[in-house]
Amino acid sequence: MGVAGAQKRIVEAVNRLEDVEVAPHRYGGLEFRLGRRELGHIHGDRLVDIPFPKAVRDEIVAAGEAEPHHILPDSGWVSLFLSKDEDVETAIRLLKRSFQLATARRAV
């Protein structure tokens, strides 16, 4: 399972966001950070995990954009398994949303 080149496309898109850093993730893969806040992480070409406030997570899951986190389903995290090109675009959109929420919190 996975989309060939997905990680490269996602990293390139998220790396364009202001002040975002890409670094190895403690459970494998790469994580995206804005300061001390993790915006999400990617496991190769197959899986993206992204944290959200629980209400936002519930909205994303209800819309069918992602599913509850594969290990922590009761948390605010979502998981998006990358099985087709459209999933890559959804992952980029959700990571940008995580970035927007993080920058809004920084401004307060």
Side-chain angles (χ1 to χ4, degrees):
M1 180 161 69
V3 177
Q7 178 171 289
K8 182 177 188 278
R9 288 170 50 198
I10 292 168
V11 168
E12 286 174 354
V14 177
N15 207 25
R16 288 187 208 112
L17 300 172
E18 187 175 345
D19 296 328
V20 171
E21 297 177 6
V22 180
H25 184 64
R26 65 188 173 276
Y27 298 122
L30 297 172
E31 69 182 29
F32 308 105
R33 297 193 75 79
L34 181 63
R36 295 184 314 164
R37 181 182 171 99
E38 183 181 344
L39 302 175
H41 57 266
I42 186 167
H43 298 280
D45 289 337
R46 59 185 173 72
L47 172 64
V48 176
D49 295 315
I50 308 169
F52 287 103
K54 205 141 189 229
V56 175
R57 179 214 80 146
D58 292 345
E59 171 192 317
I60 290 167
V61 170
E65 294 181 291
E67 57 190 66
H69 191 269
H70 62 286
I71 296 174
L72 304 168
D74 296 324
S75 71
W77 285 78
V78 298
S79 290
L80 177 57
F81 290 91
L82 306 171
S83 58
K84 57 189 182 297
D85 267 350
E86 294 82 16
D87 296 334
V88 176
E89 296 307 315
T90 300
I92 292 168
R93 186 174 64 255
L94 292 176
L95 285 161
K96 286 180 178 179
R97 187 168 183 188
S98 179
F99 171 80
Q100 290 166 345
L101 289 168
T103 55
R105 286 191 179 152
R106 277 181 136 188
V108 174

